[in-house]
Amino acid sequence: MSYRIVGETGEWEVVVGLEVHAQVTSESKLFSGASTEFGGEPNSHVSLVDAAMPGMLPVINEHCIEQAVRTGLGLKAKVNLYSVFARKNYFYADLPQGYQISQFEFPIIGAGTVILDMPDGTTRNIGIERLHLEQDAGKSMHDQDPRRTFVDLNRSGVALMEIVSDPDMRSPEEAGIYVRKIRSIVRYLGTCDGNMEQGSMRADVNVSVRKPGDTELRTRCEIKNVNSVRFIMHAIEVEAQRQVEVWESGGQVEQQTRLFDPVKGETRAMRSKEFAHDYRYFPDPDLLPVKFNQEYVDGIAATLPELPDEKKQRYMADYNLSAYDAEVLVVDRETGGYFETVLGRGDKGKTRDAKLAANWVISNLFGALKAESKTITQSPVSADQLGQLLDLISDNTISGKIAKTVFEEMIATGKEPADIVAEKGLKQITDTGAIEAAVDDVIANSPEQVAQYQGGNEKIAGWFVGQVMKATQGKANPGMVNKLLKEKLSG
Ligand code: MN
């Protein structure tokens, strides 16, 4: 099921490539010792280098180099042992140097691959063209004063990784999955916190359209600085639609930089190609080329954590989970860790039932966390406690249904599951005599239904189970109830 825009002349295919800017997790900036902390007073995290005072020289932050290499390895990309910082020249009030230090011809990371997990269980490979390091600019503040614009340089010089994809995506959905996957990978690696609300990740979105089956790309437009997954998807949708209308009305899509307005749900031209910047890139004479050897790269590779793709494969192979379940559980390290602790030390050192554990985490726990707007690290129920609850189900102390009641209480109070079961008298009735008495009672009081059952209406069996469960406040072991009812009704 390909995504298609249907116009007056038939169907159109959408072609998307993304440039994701990801802020490097680092205490200090790319070329200065100033803090990168979010939310400081304006201009409180600015060194003389960041303010571009005359005579100041940039000094490369080695940690940022390491983070870029880690990210490259996580993207299964080629790490270049030789790379060069270049000046990208343009004038803007929030760029005091008059140029951005970036990488151009020789980026630190070359081609790689990101695997998208599609909702139907299939996967799609998206090519990564390159990843380069560059500085962020400052921020113009237009809303502080009616007449003047102020500049905050706190972000000036913060290290960014620009991750450039190939034009491999074919729908807004794929672009959304791609950005989420990049975010998941950098979070696993600890190289970017992925907080789009705080601007630590944002994307420039390249969109063009063409007729299905065409091999040539048509002119693209670039939508700048989109800062949420939802907006990225929405921007692609409306921009592709706009381009289809331009082509179909006999016009030409112009190569442009555009802005997405999420309120109006439209993109607007910022500047056209004839006004495009001529950046006059050249190697920054203040910085030497970055050179390291393969041992350095191998050393970083040795410290890489298990990444979501590998973890997903392991969950599917070792625990027999579906692609969907595995994928949901590997979304971040914390969720994977929680799930593995739930699986962990079961009865007599055995691991607990993986499918049961996955269901409880995905349906019950995620549901409860969502209702309380909490993340998994803020869960009122610890992984150990959830594991204990599963043990109570497995050893028939409580039924799966009663377990849901116990779980709600655990969410509300944080109490241990065994204590809740004891306090509320929820222990399952497994005493055959007690269940038999309840079954006999129901049968004796329901001659009409018994006649129906014996007349061949087997559907009414469920009604009997319901009556017995009601009589035992839901505490009778359902398996035993079923067995006894069957024996007695047909006997
Ligand atoms: Mn950039």
Side-chain angles (χ1 to χ4, degrees):
M1 279 191 306
S2 318
Y3 178 84
R4 292 283 186 261
I5 290 180
V6 182
E8 284 164 13
T9 62
E11 297 194 330
W12 293 80
E13 179 180 61
V14 182
V15 178
V16 179
L18 290 175
E19 295 163 23
V20 171
H21 284 89
Q23 180 178 331
V24 176
T25 299
S26 164
E27 305 261 308
S28 52
K29 297 183 180 179
L30 184 53
F31 299 113
S32 85
S35 165
T36 58
E37 205 182 318
F38 178 79
E41 279 287 299
N43 298 308
S44 59
H45 302 319
V46 186
S47 76
L48 296 172
V49 174
D50 310 321
M53 288 298 158
M56 292 299 116
L57 288 174
V59 177
I60 186 76
N61 177 343
E62 198 188 323
H63 179 65
C64 294
I65 297 286
E66 188 184 324
Q67 293 286 59
V69 171
R70 275 176 84 76
T71 309
L73 293 168
L75 298 173
K76 314 274 186 280
K78 180 170 183 289
V79 178
N80 294 324
L81 304 183
Y82 175 90
S83 63
V84 174
F85 281 103
R87 290 188 182 178
K88 179 181 181 180
N89 298 279
Y90 66 96
F91 174 81
Y92 204 73
D94 59 21
L95 185 76
Q97 283 169 161
Y99 56 85
Q100 177 192 32
I101 305 178
S102 181
Q103 296 186 308
F104 187 56
E105 278 173 286
F106 301 101
I108 188 164
I109 303 295
T113 309
V114 171
I115 301 171
L116 306 190
D117 303 288
M118 303 307 293
D120 63 2
T122 60
T123 56
R124 284 259 293 131
N125 285 3
I126 304 298
I128 296 291
E129 184 197 309
R130 59 190 268 152
L131 174 157
H132 63 253
L133 277 169
E134 62 184 25
Q135 306 172 291
D136 204 351
K139 196 173 98 184
S140 302
M141 298 152 79
H142 306 290
D143 54 359
Q144 309 288 307
D145 185 277
R147 261 184 274 271
R148 293 174 297 176
T149 289
F150 295 122
V151 174
D152 174 11
L153 294 179
N154 280 355
R155 292 192 67 92
S156 170
V158 164
L160 303 177
M161 298 179 281
E162 180 171 331
I163 303 166
V164 182
S165 85
D166 291 325
D168 285 350
M169 286 158 271
R170 294 288 175 271
S171 67
E173 184 190 31
E174 284 185 3
I177 294 172
Y178 170 82
V179 173
R180 290 203 179 93
K181 189 60 176 277
I182 294 273
R183 185 170 60 184
S184 172
I185 291 170
V186 294
R187 282 181 170 166
Y188 264 78
L189 293 166
T191 56
C192 168
D193 65 24
N195 290 335
M196 298 184 87
E197 331 59 76
Q198 296 183 358
S200 338
M201 249 182 84
R202 47 195 201 265
D204 298 340
V205 186
N206 290 289
V207 180
S208 64
V209 296
R210 64 181 174 188
K211 287 293 191 174
D214 281 3
T215 47
E216 297 282 301
L217 293 172
R218 296 198 188 197
T219 310
R220 65 186 158 87
C221 287
E222 180 181 10
I223 310 158
K224 276 282 177 197
N225 251 325
V226 192
N227 63 358
S228 85
V229 173
R230 204 159 51 86
F231 289 170
I232 289 168
M233 293 170 70
H234 193 188
I236 294 168
E237 204 180 304
V238 298
E239 174 60 15
Q241 185 69 46
R242 184 192 71 84
Q243 291 184 14
V244 166
E245 282 159 24
V246 171
W247 290 120
E248 289 196 330
S249 62
Q252 296 268 328
V253 169
E254 248 190 282
Q255 189 172 335
Q256 278 174 336
T257 303
R258 300 178 70 87
L259 270 185
F260 175 61
D261 179 338
V263 179
K264 291 198 175 139
E266 61 178 33
T267 65
R268 276 196 299 275
M270 255 173 96
R271 53 176 183 260
S272 291
K273 201 184 176 187
E274 59 252 57
F275 303 108
H277 289 128
D278 178 1
Y279 293 121
R280 312 246 168 170
Y281 281 99
F282 65 88
D284 192 311
D286 290 341
L287 290 156
L288 289 168
V290 181
K291 287 187 211 169
F292 42 75
N293 53 28
Q294 191 56 41
E295 287 76 66
Y296 173 74
V297 180
D298 294 344
I300 295 170
T303 68
L304 242 52
E306 181 184 40
L307 290 169
D309 291 326
E310 287 95 61
K311 203 187 279 283
K312 178 183 165 188
Q313 293 309 322
R314 179 164 66 84
Y315 284 5
M316 288 170 70
D318 290 3
Y319 306 136
N320 210 14
L321 294 185
S322 68
Y324 174 82
D325 283 357
E327 201 182 297
V328 172
L329 292 169
V330 304
V331 61
D332 52 47
R333 282 173 93 163
E334 291 77 16
T335 304
Y338 189 103
F339 169 67
E340 291 188 34
T341 307
V342 173
L343 262 190
R345 305 165 291 277
D347 240 4
K348 300 167 193 96
K350 282 195 306 188
T351 50
R352 298 182 175 108
D353 184 302
K355 183 67 197 162
L356 185 70
N359 280 345
W360 272 86
V361 172
I362 293 169
S363 314
N364 305 67
L365 180 73
F366 284 1
L369 293 177
K370 198 170 177 206
E372 305 209 352
S373 306
K374 284 185 172 150
T375 64
I376 197 143
T377 50
Q378 302 164 320
S379 171
V381 174
S382 73
D384 276 324
Q385 288 174 322
L386 183 52
Q388 289 160 26
L389 180 69
L390 299 194
D391 287 344
L392 295 176
I393 303 172
S394 304
D395 68 11
N396 280 322
T397 306
I398 53 174
S399 66
K401 200 165 169 222
I402 291 286
K404 294 197 169 118
T405 311
V406 176
F407 182 72
E408 276 171 28
E409 190 74 10
M410 290 165 73
I411 289 283
T413 64
K415 284 187 188 167
E416 302 295 321
D419 293 345
I420 296 168
V421 170
E423 267 170 39
K424 305 216 154 204
L426 293 172
K427 201 167 170 335
Q428 181 163 243
I429 304 170
T430 48
D431 166 16
T432 317
I435 297 177
E436 202 168 355
V439 168
D440 286 341
D441 228 36
V442 170
I443 289 177
N445 291 320
S446 325
E448 213 173 288
Q449 286 83 355
V450 172
Q452 280 181 36
Y453 181 87
Q454 286 163 349
N457 181 1
E458 294 206 359
K459 279 189 198 150
I460 206 157
W463 179 86
F464 280 102
V465 175
Q467 293 303 302
V468 177
M469 294 312 278
K470 207 165 146 191
T472 56
Q473 288 102 47
K475 289 186 286 187
N477 176 305
M480 292 172 71
V481 172
N482 271 313
K483 186 164 165 281
L484 281 166
L485 271 171
K486 215 169 198 171
E487 282 169 18
K488 302 221 172 219
L489 282 169
S490 47

